[in-house]
Amino acid sequence: MFEKVDQKVSFPELEKQIMALWKKEGTFQKSLELRAGKPSFVFYEGPPTANGRPATHHILARAFKDLFPRYKTMKGFFVERKAGWDTHGLPVEIEVEKKLKISGKFEIENEIGIERFNELCRASVHEYVSDWVTFSERMGFWLDYEHAYWTLTPDYIQSVWWALSEMWKQGLVYKGFRVAPYCPRCATPLSSHELALGYQDNTPDPSVYVRFRLKKDPNTSILAWTTTPWTLPGNVALAVDNDIDYIKVKDGDGFIILAEARLQILNESPEVVERMKGRDLVGLEYEPLNPYTVPQEGRAHYVVDADFVSTDEGTGVVHTSALYGVDDLRLCQEKGIPFKHTVGLDGKFLPYVEKFAGLHVKDANPVILDDLKARGLLYKSETILHTYPFCWRCSTPLIYYALDSWYVRTTERKAELIANNAATNWVPAHIKTGRMGDWLENNVDWAISRSRYWGTPLPFWVCEKCGEQKCVSSSAELGLKEDQDLHRPYIDTVTLPCEKCGGVMKRVPEVLDTWFDSGSMPFAQRGHPRHGTKEFEQSFPADFIAEAMDQTRGWFYSLLAISTLLFKQNAYRNVICLGLVVDPKGKKASKSRGNVLDPNYLFDTFGTDAVRWYFYTSTQVGENYRTGDAALRETVQQFFIPLWNCYSFFVTYARLDGFDPAQPAVPVGERHVLDRWLLSKVSGLRDAVSGGLDAYDANEPARRIHRFVDDLSNWYIRRSRRRFWKSQSDRDKAAAYQTLYETLRTVCQLMAPFAPFSSDAMYRNLSNGESVHLSDFPEASPYQDAQVETDMARARQAVEAGLAARDAARMKVRQPLSSIALPGDPLPEDIAQIVREELNVKELVFGAPEVKLNTEITEELRLEGLAREIVRAIQDRRKKAGLNVEDRIHTRYEADGMLLRAIGRHGDYIKNETLSVTLEPGRADDFDGEQLMLEGEQIWIGLKRS
């Protein structure tokens, strides 16, 4: 029944064999068909962008995304595993720019053209699809790629348009002139959640203190602070707080004014000449830093009061440039202060900005400082290290820039967002109120427009004549065919008649934030509402999603926001938020550091199961994973090899004895105490694994399996070996086989969702070729014996204490002793016998205040100890000779003294332990032998296969 097992298994090769079997048998498809019509468990696949090859960190997320659908399938649920591809946005555009060796919008529009550029983007997203499919198959992540959704299809885009049109009807979509994070290289604004993806710590920037001379008293200056000198040419006002205490202090031949609480920033101890409140400064006019910022109409360059000024840093005076700060713009609009851009959309100063025209803002910083210093306006300049936002895709430093953008008014539904998040189960739990909760509490409106090319076009048409706006929800509203390509530049040529004035309506040029695409997948993957509404309603919301921590403010947020605005609930009930994959020193993987791990190297060296198991067991969910060769090698050695050895042990002896699992079972209550203990432990393990996975905890169930395998190998099998070795096939031997067989099958099923390859390989051999992934998850066993587990735990503690005592007394375990005294109550005799054998003592004495060995060694004990040494020596010879564990042998020896007497006294014991058919004195040429020194005496031992 059982195929022979290679003890020296190569797990990577084993996995390739199983993968071929899955493909040949259609195992994944069978698992779907098996559960068709059963209750659904809904899983959403967060769509990757296939314009680059998958990396090691993708194994992490996909390992967790595969685990729970496998588990729920085994529990009897139907789990659709629809793949998806995220195809739009800057990630794709930047990759194409690199291949074309161009950079920026000017070259795209004037050298390549939008049509050609978008054709290349479309091709790019298909380039690595096969790599991703192969990668997913190799790591055992089952997905339905045949029916995958693509965010670039007209079908998908129209569903996204419908979502925007629904928000439009609710008055949630608007165009606003606002300051937003802006990438000058990509020439597009970013949303607040995209901003959160690109922060870099320890970024150096200037810290500058500047004098602003008062018009009526040029000898006195107001001191202001900034870390963005490039905004100074656009300065139009200074802001103070009405209630903050300010002081005027001596500054060389003149004076400076700053907040009293910020005196520590001055170069020397100040001489205070006057004190005042912020309100006393309001209205004071100062000399413009540059003449070109003086407005032709309106008032600028004076002190205003503001509610955002603090004394936590700087001088208590905020330099205000209107167009390059959120608070700045709001303040200037409230006060009616005129302003205009000094910097263009390319991040360079405009021609009218003398001295700095054409310079990129970051390059202009030192030039601006030199100019201020030359004019005596620079009080001091330093360099600080702080956290600064960079473009999450091209790594360009972002700037804050005021421009027209389209927004979704998420702030209007802030309370609903918070409530829906609160109703969601987050793993780890602290993300709900921490990272995600904080994000929602500080929610800002979603900037959804991008001044780019390859993306879902915004479906907003505006009349050129009267300004009337219209949002369309489908191709049909535009008079287009259902399968019409809706991308730029084709969609840009579509016009509509204005129903209000009869003018021509043209589409706005922007495309949609790609995060809106992926956040729309619950309904857009079905084509809802034009079709697929039933399928959408049956699969919404998801029971489970999982991605890395950076998706908290990415995909997790976009799903929550869109579903809340459209359906008043979250799109997912349970979410696992994973940490990052880092190197063994805790550093993030990067090509420049040379610490990037190739997934295929990991698969081919350690095996997929080992990598997955490491991610499930090494650290708590949400923490970072220090991943490297040493950690994965340890995973193989400490879990998979011991488990395989247990399996190999069973199969080897089951084949020898012709064990038939179908034979009548020995009642559990009549089995050996080790069997009853193991079956009780298996039952508890099943409950723990099922309970943990039901609660979306992968760590503890996997660790429990790991600990159980250690118990199985180092306690049950080690203590039961003689029961399998003995030649007679009695009731006890049958019980041992039945117990180990049932246990191994159950362990395979419990670990199948975690380690799909090795579990299937073992289970198939134990189950007439049936795949473990087509079996039901083990049901709760009626057999549990808490008392046996408690007594066995006490026994193992006693063994541990006794072995420590032997070690302290320098007594080998092979040397029998007459007795040991142990604390505690007596153990049942069947368990006490195990303790005696483990400690190699003749008698246990309970109730002692502490552990105490009787170390007196009689001649009889000495001879028995020597017999055990001889057994060990013969076993070593067996290994060196390459014998199989089941091989019987003939053994010869040459010895005298105590060793000879030990053989004479304990010959039968030696024969039984070493599977020796004969044990005879004298050397023989056809025996493989060697001369040894045992306990100070010489002995020759030779053997040959029987």
Side-chain angles (χ1 to χ4, degrees):
M1 175 186 177
F2 307 108
E3 295 294 327
K4 187 176 180 180
V5 173
D6 184 358
Q7 195 167 2
K8 296 179 180 178
V9 64
S10 165
F11 289 109
E13 289 304 313
L14 180 76
E15 291 174 355
K16 290 175 183 176
Q17 293 168 18
I18 293 298
M19 191 164 59
L21 266 178
W22 288 348
K23 190 168 288 189
K24 177 184 176 182
E25 298 174 359
T27 310
F28 171 41
Q29 187 59 36
K30 283 182 180 178
S31 75
L32 295 175
E33 294 168 357
L34 187 66
R35 308 301 185 190
K38 299 295 176 64
S40 289
F41 175 82
V42 180
F43 159 69
Y44 289 164
E45 157 67 343
T49 305
N51 70 325
R53 289 187 173 89
T56 297
H57 65 274
H58 293 111
I59 305 175
L60 171 62
R62 288 166 117 68
F64 278 80
K65 290 194 282 187
D66 184 63
L67 168 63
F68 291 94
R70 283 188 184 274
Y71 167 67
K72 289 296 184 179
T73 297
M74 293 180 72
K75 291 285 281 187
F77 291 89
F78 174 76
V79 187
E80 180 191 35
R81 303 186 209 180
K82 191 178 182 70
W85 301 107
D86 197 5
T87 58
H88 288 145
L90 277 172
V92 182
E93 291 194 27
I94 291 170
E95 188 69 20
V96 172
E97 286 185 55
K98 288 178 182 176
K99 289 180 179 178
L100 294 174
K101 296 181 179 179
I102 62 172
S103 179
K105 297 177 70 173
F106 179 85
E107 292 178 84
I108 292 172
E109 294 184 9
N110 294 282
E111 296 181 17
I112 307 299
I114 296 175
E115 182 174 20
R116 176 61 179 154
F117 183 74
N118 275 359
E119 286 175 359
L120 294 171
C121 287
R122 181 186 292 274
S124 173
V125 298
H126 289 85
E127 186 171 352
Y128 297 108
V129 165
S130 62
D131 292 70
W132 277 88
V133 173
T134 301
F135 166 79
S136 297
E137 290 176 348
R138 182 63 187 86
M139 67 158 292
F141 181 30
W142 280 354
L143 279 181
D144 180 2
Y145 287 105
E146 186 178 345
H147 303 99
Y149 66 87
W150 293 74
T151 62
L152 55 70
T153 64
D155 193 52
Y156 196 100
I157 289 173
Q158 289 179 79
S159 288
V160 174
W161 280 5
W162 167 80
L164 286 168
S165 71
E166 290 298 300
M167 295 175 190
W168 182 281
K169 293 172 187 175
Q170 297 177 51
L172 297 175
V173 180
Y174 67 94
K175 186 177 185 180
F177 183 74
R178 298 174 62 172
V179 172
Y182 181 83
C183 177
R185 195 219 72 87
C186 299
T188 189
L190 283 75
S191 65
S192 56
H193 49 273
E194 286 179 302
L195 175 72
L197 297 174
Y199 279 106
Q200 294 183 19
D201 295 331
N202 298 316
T203 302
D205 259 330
S207 173
V208 180
Y209 297 84
V210 180
R211 298 182 181 95
F212 290 82
R213 291 175 179 152
L214 294 179
K215 276 189 174 181
K216 292 185 177 180
D217 183 7
N219 210 31
T220 299
S221 298
I222 295 177
L223 194 64
W225 171 75
T226 183
T227 58
T228 53
W230 64 269
T231 63
L232 288 168
N235 173 269
V236 291
L238 296 175
V240 298
D241 186 284
N242 277 331
D243 297 320
I244 289 177
D245 294 318
Y246 291 83
I247 54 173
K248 181 177 180 180
V249 301
K250 192 75 174 158
D251 176 36
D253 295 333
F255 303 92
I256 53 176
I257 296 172
L258 75 162
E260 185 172 10
R262 300 301 300 164
L263 284 178
Q264 69 266 28
I265 62 99
L266 297 177
N267 294 330
E268 53 191 38
S269 298
E271 178 186 336
V272 179
V273 298
E274 188 179 346
R275 298 178 186 276
M276 63 208 77
K277 288 287 188 181
R279 62 175 54 89
D280 299 323
L281 298 173
V282 172
L284 291 178
E285 295 184 339
Y286 60 89
E287 295 288 346
L289 291 182
N290 300 286
Y292 42 75
T293 57
V294 177
Q296 294 181 348
E297 295 181 6
R299 184 186 180 205
H301 305 109
Y302 65 99
V303 180
V304 296
D305 62 291
D307 57 8
F308 55 80
V309 179
S310 78
T311 56
D312 294 337
E313 57 187 358
T315 66
V317 180
V318 176
H319 135 70
T320 303
S321 56
L323 295 166
Y324 311 113
V326 175
D327 290 327
D328 302 48
L329 180 60
R330 175 174 60 84
L331 179 66
C332 291
Q333 288 174 330
E334 288 175 357
K335 302 295 183 182
I337 300 173
F339 46 77
K340 61 180 178 178
H341 269 300
T342 54
V343 175
L345 292 170
D346 57 0
K348 296 178 180 179
F349 280 99
L350 295 168
Y352 80 87
V353 184
E354 301 167 3
K355 300 180 184 177
F356 317 122
L359 287 176
H360 188 277
V361 292
K362 291 291 184 178
D363 297 332
N365 278 339
V367 182
I368 292 169
L369 296 184
D370 287 344
D371 176 64
L372 292 172
K373 185 176 182 180
R375 293 194 280 148
L377 299 179
L378 182 64
Y379 178 77
K380 72 173 180 180
S381 176
E382 302 166 334
T383 298
I384 60 169
L385 296 176
H386 63 162
T387 301
Y388 192 86
F390 288 72
C391 179
W392 67 291
R393 280 304 181 185
C394 76
S395 297
T396 298
L398 299 179
I399 60 176
Y400 281 85
Y401 194 91
L403 71 170
D404 284 321
S405 292
W406 290 91
Y407 292 86
V408 171
R409 207 183 310 273
T410 53
T411 52
E412 189 168 304
R413 302 291 171 82
K414 175 180 171 180
E416 290 178 52
L417 289 169
I418 292 172
N420 288 339
N421 178 60
T424 303
N425 176 43
W426 282 83
V427 180
H430 64 81
I431 302 294
K432 177 192 291 190
T433 55
R435 186 180 176 91
M436 189 62 160
D438 291 343
W439 174 253
L440 295 176
E441 287 290 348
N442 297 286
N443 184 258
V444 297
D445 287 348
W446 186 348
I448 59 168
S449 57
R450 299 291 176 270
S451 305
R452 297 298 299 188
Y453 312 100
W454 180 243
T456 294
L458 287 180
F460 308 148
W461 268 255
V462 180
C463 178
E464 292 182 315
K465 186 176 180 182
C466 72
E468 178 71 3
Q469 298 177 349
K470 178 182 177 66
C471 176
V472 303
S473 62
S474 67
S475 297
E477 287 186 55
L478 300 172
L480 301 176
K481 294 180 180 178
E482 182 71 16
D483 60 352
Q484 173 74 46
D485 185 356
L486 300 176
H487 290 95
R488 299 188 68 189
Y490 317 114
I491 196 67
D492 298 338
T493 64
V494 177
T495 61
L496 293 172
C498 178
E499 296 177 0
K500 186 176 182 180
C501 74
V504 175
M505 303 185 86
K506 290 189 174 180
R507 196 191 72 83
V508 300
E510 294 91 348
V511 296
L512 184 64
D513 177 6
T514 188
W515 290 103
F516 200 103
D517 279 356
S518 58
S520 299
M521 59 79 54
F523 52 90
Q525 67 174 333
R526 311 293 180 186
H528 173 79
R530 295 171 353 277
H531 58 84
T533 296
K534 181 180 179 182
E535 290 85 350
F536 161 59
E537 291 174 347
Q538 291 174 342
S539 60
F540 180 84
D543 291 299
F544 165 69
I545 61 171
E547 293 291 347
M549 189 74 71
D550 55 1
Q551 294 298 327
T552 308
R553 296 166 184 178
W555 189 51
F556 297 159
Y557 173 73
S558 63
L559 282 171
L560 169 65
I562 293 171
S563 290
T564 295
L565 270 54
L566 294 179
F567 310 114
K568 300 187 181 301
Q569 61 176 308
N570 199 352
Y572 47 92
R573 294 189 174 101
N574 301 279
V575 53
I576 292 181
C577 198
L578 299 158
L580 303 176
V581 177
V582 296
D583 73 8
K585 295 180 180 179
K587 295 189 178 296
K588 193 173 180 179
S590 70
K591 291 180 181 177
S592 61
R593 290 196 183 104
N595 63 350
V596 175
L597 285 171
D598 176 16
N600 291 318
Y601 165 77
L602 299 181
F603 296 152
D604 294 341
T605 306
F606 307 103
T608 291
D609 281 353
V611 182
R612 289 173 61 132
W613 196 260
Y614 172 76
F615 285 143
Y616 299 136
T617 59
S618 61
T619 191
Q620 289 299 115
V621 166
E623 302 296 324
N624 289 344
Y625 299 81
R626 294 182 177 231
T627 309
D629 283 24
L632 294 171
R633 190 175 297 110
E634 186 177 271
T635 300
V636 174
Q637 293 170 346
Q638 293 189 358
F639 178 70
F640 286 98
I641 288 177
L643 174 60
W644 190 264
N645 287 342
C646 293
Y647 161 67
S648 173
F649 173 87
F650 168 80
V651 171
T652 297
Y653 286 100
R655 282 167 55 85
L656 276 174
D657 288 328
F659 167 67
D660 181 4
Q663 71 186 53
V666 178
V668 175
E670 298 175 18
R671 298 188 194 185
H672 191 285
V673 68
L674 280 167
D675 297 341
R676 289 183 277 121
W677 168 78
L678 185 66
L679 292 173
S680 184
K681 293 281 285 186
V682 169
S683 181
L685 177 66
R686 182 267 169 208
D687 292 345
V689 172
S690 183
L693 292 179
D694 285 342
Y696 296 92
D697 175 11
N699 294 140
E700 188 54 26
R703 290 170 181 170
R704 287 285 293 264
I705 295 172
H706 197 142
R707 292 195 295 270
F708 177 84
V709 168
D710 185 66
D711 286 342
L712 176 65
S713 173
N714 294 321
W715 191 252
Y716 178 80
I717 289 180
R718 189 172 60 77
R719 289 299 318 154
S720 301
R721 283 184 185 276
R722 290 184 183 86
R723 301 169 64 202
F724 294 92
W725 285 349
K726 60 187 178 183
S727 55
Q728 65 271 32
S729 296
D730 58 12
R731 188 175 171 85
D732 177 60
K733 191 173 190 177
Y737 272 123
Q738 290 168 1
T739 299
L740 186 51
Y741 172 76
E742 180 182 341
T743 296
L744 287 171
R745 272 176 47 97
T746 302
V747 168
C748 287
Q749 289 174 305
L750 294 179
M751 66 181 282
F754 300 89
F757 293 100
S758 53
S759 62
D760 203 22
M762 292 185 289
Y763 189 86
R764 283 171 181 268
N765 198 22
L766 298 171
S767 307
N768 291 318
E770 178 193 348
S771 173
V772 71
H773 304 295
L774 301 180
S775 70
D776 293 337
F777 201 78
E779 292 299 321
S781 168
Y783 183 78
Q784 276 192 289
D785 193 328
Q787 189 59 53
V788 166
E789 290 193 47
T790 299
D791 290 341
M792 195 68 77
R794 284 182 55 214
R796 297 183 75 176
Q797 290 169 357
V799 168
E800 185 178 347
L803 291 176
R806 290 193 73 120
D807 187 59
R810 297 187 176 181
M811 285 284 180
K812 290 182 179 180
V813 178
R814 283 188 294 274
Q815 175 57 60
L817 297 175
S818 61
S819 65
I820 184 172
L822 296 166
D825 297 330
L827 288 165
E829 176 52 30
D830 51 2
I831 294 180
Q833 177 61 26
I834 295 172
V835 177
R836 286 195 292 270
E837 292 174 3
E838 278 289 298
L839 295 179
N840 198 9
V841 298
K842 303 301 180 184
E843 183 182 6
L844 300 180
V845 180
F846 289 97
E850 60 183 5
V851 178
K852 188 173 182 181
L853 283 169
N854 183 342
T855 57
E856 181 184 352
I857 301 175
T858 65
E859 180 175 314
E860 182 58 38
L861 292 173
R862 171 73 171 156
L863 291 175
E864 187 178 339
L866 289 173
R868 289 173 179 261
E869 294 290 348
I870 293 168
V871 167
R872 182 187 61 82
I874 295 174
Q875 302 290 33
D876 287 345
R877 290 300 307 155
R878 288 180 62 101
K879 289 180 181 177
K880 289 178 182 177
L883 295 171
N884 297 319
V885 293
E886 70 271 17
D887 287 342
R888 301 199 172 265
I889 58 173
H890 294 286
T891 304
R892 301 189 72 85
Y893 63 89
E894 188 175 81
D896 53 23
M898 293 291 283
L899 290 175
L900 182 60
R901 292 176 62 192
I903 294 172
R905 184 72 60 87
H906 299 288
D908 288 342
Y909 164 77
I910 294 170
K911 288 165 65 177
N912 288 336
E913 290 293 309
T914 60
L915 298 185
S916 295
V917 177
T918 59
L919 178 63
E920 298 176 343
R923 301 191 184 208
D925 292 339
D926 58 340
F927 276 66
D928 178 20
E930 66 176 331
Q931 191 76 23
L932 301 169
M933 178 72 75
L934 290 183
E935 298 298 303
E937 295 186 16
Q938 293 286 334
I939 184 172
W940 180 89
I941 294 175
L943 53 85
K944 70 176 181 179
R945 185 182 278 108
S946 173

